[in-house]
Amino acid sequence: MQEKTYLKWYHKLGYGCGDIAGNVVYAFLSSFVMIYLTNTVGLNPGVAGTLIAASKVFDGVTDIFFGAMIDKTKSRLGKARPWMLYAYIGCAVTLAAIFAIPTDFGKTAQYAWFFIAYTLLNAVFYTANNIAYSALTTLVTKNSKERVQMGSCRFIFAFATSLLIQSVTIGAVSAMGGGAAGWRTVAIFYAAAGLIINTISVLSVKELPEEELKETAAGTGGSGEHTEENAGGQQADKMTAADAPEEKYGLLDAAKLLIANKYYLMICAVYILQQVYGAMLGMGIYYMTYVLGNENLFGVFSWAINIPMIGALLATPALVARWKGMYKLNVRGYMLGTAGRALVIAAGYFGNIPLMLLFTGVAALGQGPWQGDMNAVIASCSEYTWLTKHKRVDGTMYSCTSLGVKLGGGLGTAIAGWMLAASGFVEAAPVQPESCIRMLYVMYLWLPMIISLLITLILSRMNVEGANERLRRG
């Protein structure tokens, strides 16, 4: 049986554009906020890291809250699109505010300004926008292949945006006069561009009627294989969804449903580790400046990461079809990624920049498929909850995306700040002490490899496709 299709190419393209807006916030913030705070504003990296970690206390309660609110929303735009649309206004304002800390304020006032703006961005506006955007994967189509294609499309845009921002930002800040004024101007431009693109993405797709979403599509959350064998189980699921009264559940009930889903917990762990990994690579701006002696190499290494990643994303739908699912592809891809990062370490200690670039590309190539099919795996996790609990928590399930981005990214940036401070880093100094140089080797070379290995181990246990298949048959 062939799965029903829901989307045209322009729907997928428009949806993918949403991650341009998301990465205008995330890539800019994760790559440059710490060096802006230390080398332009003159703040202590340890204190900045502590403030970032403290803001995660507020983040911890908002992810599931906004996910549950999305599940309860009924509007002309649907469940998720209103949250995605309006929350980005706050994202734009707070992103500009973070990079507009008044230079004539005292240090205490500067720390307070940063903490308030950073917390509002992450705990409120980015949370609502990102969960809503991710949940659209489930709400606009029930076709598993289309979900993989949507995931690949969004992350192609995401990595292309990261590549662009990481390549041009330092030069753009200098072109705008440098210093605090340069950072402020660039941040305002990025915020305005993100706001426009996010609005276009919201208007490019349409959510399915709620009645249709309650019916389990053939092969949803899986690879599309065994559809004939699944027909009986699928019909049973349809009857259950149609016959059962709509169940109401609150925030605590939603949290219990998520915690009961072991695959949700695994994805949360992987998402958090990924963002810490990204934060460590973001410390490349320090590694290039103080170890390799050329801050412009940060953009070159961004090309080595993002171009292979985009290539892998383009190939992901075909690879999923070839290997009849996402599980094997993700595990084998991350095994390659871990080997690549281990070789980056060796090349780094030899001081061989071309080999570092080559093996950085190998690692990114291996990690790319998971980025492309991640949203489809989360959709499968949502389907797992339906098959085991007969409750739909699509919006709440996608809280793992925002939780992972904010908790992992914030934790990674905070850890980086603490490690810099512990190493004896001197704010805005042209040369750093040897203790700081050694720490940069640990942060940029060793930690990414270790994190990649941990992700590989978790992915090896995350066969939610197989679990759903067994549940349908049983």
Side-chain angles (χ1 to χ4, degrees):
M1 178 186 287
Q2 185 70 29
E3 288 188 83
K4 178 182 176 181
T5 58
Y6 297 84
L7 305 176
K8 304 293 186 182
W9 66 268
Y10 49 83
H11 294 131
K12 301 168 191 173
L13 189 66
Y15 172 79
C17 286
D19 236 337
I20 297 177
N23 272 274
V24 162
V25 174
Y26 182 74
F28 184 42
L29 196 65
S30 62
S31 297
F32 298 108
V33 69
M34 188 61 75
I35 202 161
Y36 162 74
L37 294 175
T38 59
N39 288 18
T40 299
V41 185
L43 302 184
N44 180 276
V47 177
T50 300
L51 292 176
I52 290 171
S55 76
K56 299 302 120 183
V57 175
F58 299 95
D59 282 356
V61 298
T62 59
D63 297 280
I64 296 176
F65 170 78
F66 281 115
M69 291 299 292
I70 290 169
D71 283 329
K72 295 174 184 294
T73 296
K74 297 180 185 292
S75 75
R76 181 174 58 86
L77 289 174
K79 290 176 174 290
R81 291 199 299 160
W83 293 93
M84 180 180 168
L85 178 64
Y86 298 119
Y88 202 90
I89 299 172
C91 288
V93 172
T94 49
L95 178 67
I98 288 173
F99 288 88
I101 299 174
T103 55
D104 56 350
F105 277 17
K107 291 301 179 189
T108 301
Q110 289 177 330
Y111 284 124
W113 177 294
F114 168 71
F115 179 76
I116 293 170
Y118 184 88
T119 301
L120 284 174
L121 173 60
N122 284 275
V124 181
F125 301 118
Y126 188 83
T127 297
N129 173 268
N130 188 257
I131 292 177
Y133 176 60
S134 297
L136 283 177
T137 305
T138 297
L139 298 174
V140 302
T141 178
K142 298 191 296 180
N143 185 298
S144 59
K145 293 180 181 178
E146 287 183 337
R147 288 173 174 174
V148 173
Q149 291 164 355
M150 289 174 70
S152 294
C153 187
R154 71 171 286 193
F155 283 108
I156 287 170
F157 280 110
F159 289 112
T161 305
S162 295
L163 173 60
L164 180 64
I165 287 177
Q166 291 167 356
S167 299
V168 307
T169 295
I170 295 296
V173 170
S174 298
M176 293 296 109
W183 283 105
R184 181 174 61 249
T185 302
V186 170
I188 291 172
F189 174 80
Y190 284 160
L195 185 59
I196 294 169
I197 295 168
N198 181 78
T199 303
I200 293 172
S201 181
V202 169
L203 300 177
S204 68
V205 294
K206 184 177 181 180
E207 297 179 27
L208 297 175
E210 191 167 351
E211 294 75 19
E212 187 172 0
L213 289 169
K214 288 181 180 179
E215 297 180 356
T216 304
T220 296
S223 63
E225 62 177 329
H226 306 306
T227 51
E228 292 183 4
E229 297 176 10
N230 295 343
Q234 293 301 117
Q235 184 62 35
D237 287 336
K238 287 183 179 181
M239 292 175 62
T240 302
D243 297 340
E246 183 176 358
E247 295 188 63
K248 303 291 184 181
Y249 56 90
L251 185 62
L252 183 59
D253 294 324
K256 289 179 179 178
L257 287 170
L258 296 184
I259 293 173
N261 188 327
K262 63 182 179 180
Y263 299 109
Y264 170 84
L265 299 178
M266 290 181 192
I267 288 182
C268 281
V270 170
Y271 233 116
I272 290 169
L273 286 170
Q274 276 185 291
Q275 303 310 313
V276 176
Y277 175 95
M280 292 301 109
L281 292 188
M283 290 300 102
I285 187 67
Y286 289 93
Y287 186 89
M288 309 307 161
T289 301
Y290 298 112
V291 177
L292 301 182
N294 183 358
E295 66 179 12
N296 293 320
L297 283 173
F298 184 68
V300 178
F301 274 84
S302 296
W303 281 81
I305 294 170
N306 288 290
I307 294 301
M309 190 77 75
I310 291 171
L313 290 170
L314 288 170
T316 294
L319 291 173
V320 170
R322 181 185 179 91
W323 285 0
K324 295 180 170 32
M326 299 173 282
Y327 171 68
K328 291 180 181 178
L329 175 61
N330 292 333
V331 175
R332 293 170 182 175
Y334 250 89
M335 289 173 65
L336 176 63
T338 303
R341 290 309 309 183
L343 292 170
V344 171
I345 295 175
Y349 278 98
F350 280 112
N352 191 317
I353 295 175
L355 281 180
M356 288 183 70
L357 289 167
L358 173 63
F359 296 136
T360 294
V362 170
L365 188 67
Q367 294 165 359
W370 165 251
Q371 300 291 340
D373 64 31
M374 186 190 321
N375 267 22
V377 175
I378 298 172
S380 294
C381 287
S382 183
E383 197 63 28
Y384 180 81
T385 293
W386 166 252
L387 291 170
T388 55
K389 305 295 184 182
H390 292 288
K391 292 184 179 180
R392 297 221 71 94
V393 288
D394 299 316
T396 315
M397 185 64 64
Y398 279 89
S399 64
C400 63
T401 62
S402 178
L403 176 68
V405 168
K406 295 190 295 84
L407 182 58
L411 182 63
T413 305
I415 291 172
W418 294 331
M419 294 177 78
L420 277 178
S423 72
F425 176 82
V426 181
E427 295 83 357
V431 178
Q432 295 296 330
E434 184 61 30
S435 58
C436 179
I437 301 301
R438 289 195 298 269
M439 184 66 79
L440 290 174
Y441 273 92
V442 172
M443 295 165 67
Y444 188 70
L445 298 183
W446 284 97
L447 287 183
M449 188 276 293
I450 294 170
I451 293 169
S452 183
L453 178 60
L454 291 175
I455 292 174
T456 304
L457 294 175
I458 296 172
L459 290 179
S460 70
R461 307 287 296 176
M462 199 191 298
N463 191 4
V464 63
E465 295 171 279
N468 286 349
E469 189 68 34
R470 289 189 293 273
L471 287 168
R472 292 191 190 99
R473 289 175 176 175

